[in-house]
Amino acid sequence: MHLSRTFLLRLSLLGIAVLFLVVIAISSLSLRTARVDLTSDRIYTLTPGTLDIVDGLRKPLTLTLYFSDHATRDLAQLRSYEQRVHEMLREIAVRAHGRIRLRVIDPVPYSDDEDAAESYGLTPASGGSNGERVFFGLVGSAGPGDTAPQAIPFFDPAREAFVEYDIAKLLYELGMPKKPRLGVMSSLPLEGNLVIGEAPWTLMRQLDQLADVTTIDPDSVTHIDPAISVLLLIHPKHLSEDAQYAIDQFVLRGGHLVVFVDPDAEMDTAPLIDSQGTVDDHDSNLPRLFQAWGVVFDPTRVVLDRSQALTIELNGNSIGHPAMLGLGAQDLNHDDVVTASLQRINFSTAGFFELAPDTKARLIPLVQTSDEAAIVPAQRVRDSASDPTSLLENYEPTHDRYLLAARLRDTFHTAFPERREKGHLAVASGPGEVVLVADTDLLSDRLWIDVQPLLGQQQLTPFANNGDFVANLVDNLGGSSALLSIRGRVNSQRPFTRVKALQAAADRKFLVKKRELENELYETQRRLAELQPAKGAAAPTTATAEQRREVEQYLQRKLAIGKELREVQHQLNAEIDALGLRLKFINIVLVPGLVALLGLIYGWRRTRRARRVV
């Protein structure tokens, strides 16, 4: 039986088509999680910390993204950000291999979906189309009767750098059956005194809601329970070697430590001179541990900052206190998840941290002063309690920014190499982290919370983010090591850097012209002022004519400069338009043309080769 060449060709094409479909089907099953991220900053690639959390999920979860699609039809930037969040959630769902179910709901007004979004604690924003509210949040839930649903109330575009961290934290909390253990070791009266009617500090009540808090007596501690995930060490004074060794080993085992020290703890209630004549300056320090960690802290020096001084009421007058600092958003590290969303943290008589010259450790700033700061002895601050303005006498800023709070990162070594107890660790198994804060007064109510009676109850109104700062630290450090490894990501919005450079250059030109115009205006006004005495009965006409000439000359020059300004603006627009045309030509004409040309050359070469074979 002889098969025609045409039939064989058709049969071959059919076989190729079937093979193509089989390959597509196999690849769709076997390569479902395969992705290629071609963005320059790999913004769609999940970090190893997120992958560890997703891979560690042991129960199915449901993630519901509430996004007001109809209400945001005119909000292009928010819709672009929603696409970024949606893509990341879809990537996480694919990575979970069926353990995460992703839903997207548009909660239209007056619908059951809108009521459900509000019941989960999502926070709507105003400004949608036709005045509609905009929902853009995430709700995560496990099975019935399991962990309570967790929510991200609103995906704020200002936190885009931490969107992966926020989602991974939600997943981690859904898989965490109970609150983290938090240890608090302090020599300050954080829990108040019921005998004399002192209530616990607001901070302690806040921490009780976040974690399972355990109070540790600093005078008797010899070992710290490994089940404690975060230890707050507040105002350590006269700690025994056993207590310091317990802290040392806790850090080397991978425990998360936050140290609050202070050169002048104003909330310290210990007598300045005890019954034995011992002087207590109300300062605190960890000299042995700090030395082992490569940290320099001087408990006898206080940071002043006249540009960030808080205003206080003293003897009926409002004065600026240069030792009481209100650090704003410009003084906080917005690349760190702990301080990224905070706006203000208040400090009082704080110290500062530095690194020893020979250390390999790193200090990552969380809060720092402005460059108008100065350093003075702590005793001078105590002596000026009745007149804080005296601290401004002979004030000499160092023009350095001092670290008031920072993350210390290193592979820590023990401060007690001579100890040989059972289970003693000489060095940590891997890199660790300790958070250092050079003030304890920031924890007290007076620096961040306003208490007012209301209907027999206390109305608490925060006026600074001190409580949020500590809560964020506990929240961040109390998570898994995988969660801690997730750092901020770059913004997905890609600015037109070339256009911005052209705009900046034009702005500089405009500034020069503006100054030229202002100088000429001043010179003309000065000249007119000189002519005023010449106005009199003797020569009023001459003076008036001269004034008119001056004014005419000024107006002509002003018009000329205005034309030059418009010319600069015209040149700027022309350069931007030319750049836009070049980009459009490259993307629309040149690149597709090159691809088509390469295809034609390849097809021509194949045809030529086939003819040679025939």
Side-chain angles (χ1 to χ4, degrees):
M1 179 180 179
H2 179 68
L3 298 178
S4 66
R5 185 175 179 180
T6 302
F7 177 78
L8 291 176
L9 181 59
R10 291 176 179 175
L11 186 62
S12 299
L13 291 176
L14 179 62
I16 292 174
V18 172
L19 181 62
F20 175 77
L21 294 176
V22 171
V23 169
I24 292 296
I26 295 175
S27 63
S28 64
L29 295 175
S30 61
L31 301 177
R32 291 179 62 186
T33 60
R35 299 287 192 278
V36 178
D37 188 352
L38 299 179
T39 57
S40 62
D41 298 304
R42 302 184 65 80
I43 61 175
Y44 295 104
T45 300
L46 301 178
T47 62
T50 303
L51 297 178
D52 289 343
I53 292 175
V54 173
D55 293 341
L57 295 175
R58 294 293 178 265
K59 53 187 176 183
L61 305 176
T62 300
L63 297 181
T64 305
L65 177 64
Y66 287 89
F67 180 69
S68 302
D69 185 72
H70 181 268
T72 59
R73 60 182 182 272
D74 298 325
L75 304 176
Q77 184 175 0
L78 193 63
R79 294 181 69 88
S80 175
Y81 184 38
E82 186 274 338
Q83 184 179 3
R84 162 88 189 277
V85 173
H86 193 177
E87 289 289 340
M88 181 165 289
L89 290 172
R90 189 160 54 185
E91 188 71 17
I92 289 174
V94 170
R95 175 74 185 195
H97 301 289
R99 294 190 302 274
I100 292 180
R101 178 192 174 202
L102 177 62
R103 300 190 304 160
V104 181
I105 293 178
D106 179 6
V108 297
Y110 310 109
S111 66
D112 292 340
D113 291 332
E114 184 184 51
D115 294 338
E118 289 189 297
S119 68
Y120 285 123
L122 300 192
T123 305
S126 58
S129 302
N130 300 325
E132 296 179 19
R133 298 187 302 170
V134 175
F135 286 87
F136 184 20
L138 182 68
V139 176
S141 59
D146 214 319
T147 308
Q150 302 290 330
I152 298 176
F154 192 84
F155 283 106
D156 186 355
R159 281 186 59 86
E160 181 178 358
F162 303 102
V163 63
E164 182 180 2
Y165 175 89
D166 292 339
I167 295 173
K169 177 175 174 291
L170 181 142
L171 295 175
Y172 175 76
E173 290 176 347
L174 284 172
M176 183 175 58
K178 57 183 179 180
K179 295 180 180 179
R181 284 278 304 277
L182 172 65
V184 178
M185 184 189 303
S186 175
S187 59
L188 295 179
L190 301 179
E191 299 185 2
N193 190 335
L194 296 179
V195 176
I196 60 176
E198 288 185 357
W201 292 12
T202 302
L203 176 75
M204 291 301 294
R205 286 178 281 179
Q206 179 177 278
L207 292 178
D208 281 332
Q209 299 175 357
L210 292 175
D212 180 10
V213 180
T214 301
T215 303
I216 302 173
D217 185 1
D219 296 327
S220 60
V221 64
T222 58
H223 177 74
I224 297 176
D225 188 350
I228 291 177
S229 56
V230 182
L231 174 64
L232 300 186
L233 180 60
I234 302 171
H235 200 42
K237 293 172 53 179
H238 317 303
L239 287 182
S240 66
E241 281 207 356
D242 287 341
Q244 295 182 60
Y245 179 68
I247 297 169
D248 173 87
Q249 294 296 294
F250 173 77
V251 171
L252 296 185
R253 289 198 307 266
H256 300 127
L257 174 67
V258 184
V259 180
F260 294 85
V261 290
D262 201 328
D264 183 19
E266 299 168 60
M267 303 306 294
D268 191 340
T269 57
L272 292 174
I273 302 178
D274 61 19
S275 58
Q276 298 178 353
T278 303
V279 177
D280 186 345
D281 288 333
H282 290 177
D283 61 346
S284 53
N285 194 10
L286 277 178
R288 186 161 184 174
L289 293 177
F290 282 169
Q291 183 179 5
W293 297 341
V295 174
V296 177
F297 175 77
D298 188 346
T300 67
R301 299 199 292 172
V302 170
V303 179
L304 307 181
D305 193 339
R306 63 186 179 188
S307 68
Q308 308 290 22
L310 287 175
T311 301
I312 65 170
E313 293 291 331
L314 186 64
N315 299 326
N317 298 318
S318 296
I319 60 173
H321 198 319
M324 298 183 67
L325 312 180
L327 286 312
Q330 71 277 6
D331 307 310
L332 309 180
N333 183 0
H334 284 267
D335 292 328
D336 192 290
V337 68
V338 168
T339 49
S341 299
L342 306 185
Q343 297 300 318
R344 185 183 187 87
I345 303 179
N346 293 336
F347 287 73
S348 182
T349 60
F352 64 98
F353 298 106
E354 294 178 304
L355 284 177
D358 56 346
T359 185
K360 295 182 180 178
R362 291 194 304 141
L363 273 179
I364 312 300
L366 292 176
V367 186
Q368 56 188 341
T369 66
S370 74
D371 58 5
E372 285 289 305
I375 306 299
V376 298
Q379 187 58 46
R380 183 183 170 190
V381 177
R382 287 188 283 268
D383 294 340
S384 65
S386 60
D387 184 16
T389 58
S390 64
L391 294 171
L392 295 175
E393 296 177 2
N394 301 319
Y395 189 97
E396 295 183 2
T398 61
H399 304 296
D400 290 325
R401 305 191 72 182
Y402 294 94
L403 294 182
L404 306 185
R407 295 183 188 263
L408 176 69
R409 292 178 182 160
D410 195 12
T411 301
F412 296 109
H413 290 69
T414 182
F416 299 86
E418 73 281 1
R419 293 246 185 172
R420 290 293 184 270
E421 283 86 345
K422 183 179 179 181
H424 169 80
L425 294 176
V427 62
S429 59
E433 182 172 284
V434 172
V435 176
L436 306 174
V437 184
D439 186 34
T440 60
D441 301 305
L442 69 90
L443 306 175
S444 62
D445 291 4
R446 69 188 182 98
L447 281 184
W448 69 282
I449 200 105
D450 184 32
V451 182
Q452 296 289 340
L454 180 66
L455 301 177
Q457 301 292 327
Q458 288 186 335
Q459 179 73 22
L460 305 180
T461 305
F463 54 85
N465 298 120
N466 295 30
D468 298 326
F469 173 61
V470 179
N472 287 352
L473 282 173
V474 173
D475 207 18
N476 180 243
L477 298 176
S480 68
S481 57
L483 194 60
L484 282 173
S485 69
I486 303 174
R487 303 301 176 193
R489 307 290 289 272
V490 298
N491 196 301
S492 63
Q493 302 296 325
R494 303 301 301 276
F496 293 97
T497 55
R498 178 60 178 165
V499 173
K500 286 188 174 181
L502 293 175
Q503 182 72 57
D507 287 343
R508 288 193 293 270
K509 295 179 183 178
F510 272 106
L511 183 59
V512 172
K513 294 297 182 182
K514 181 181 178 182
R515 288 175 178 172
E516 181 181 346
L517 179 60
E518 290 175 346
N519 291 337
E520 292 209 12
L521 176 61
Y522 171 78
E523 186 65 26
T524 302
Q525 290 174 341
R526 185 188 65 80
R527 178 60 180 156
L528 290 174
E530 292 177 353
L531 291 173
Q532 290 299 323
K535 294 173 63 178
T541 306
T542 305
T544 303
E546 189 172 355
Q547 284 184 333
R548 288 176 178 175
R549 284 197 300 272
E550 291 282 352
V551 172
E552 289 176 0
Q553 290 177 4
Y554 163 66
L555 292 175
Q556 291 175 0
R557 181 56 186 152
K558 182 179 178 181
L559 290 174
I561 292 179
K563 291 180 179 179
E564 293 178 14
L565 286 172
R566 288 192 294 273
E567 181 62 26
V568 171
Q569 183 65 56
H570 176 73
Q571 292 176 1
L572 167 66
N573 294 335
E575 291 180 14
I576 293 177
D577 292 342
L579 177 62
L581 289 175
R582 288 197 298 271
L583 291 175
K584 290 178 181 178
F585 175 78
I586 292 173
N587 292 328
I588 299 174
V589 178
L590 183 59
V591 173
L594 290 176
V595 172
L597 180 61
L598 290 175
L600 291 173
I601 294 174
Y602 178 74
W604 173 73
R605 292 188 62 183
R606 288 198 59 183
T607 303
R608 185 178 179 185
R609 190 181 300 113
R611 289 177 177 175
R612 288 179 179 176
V613 171
V614 176

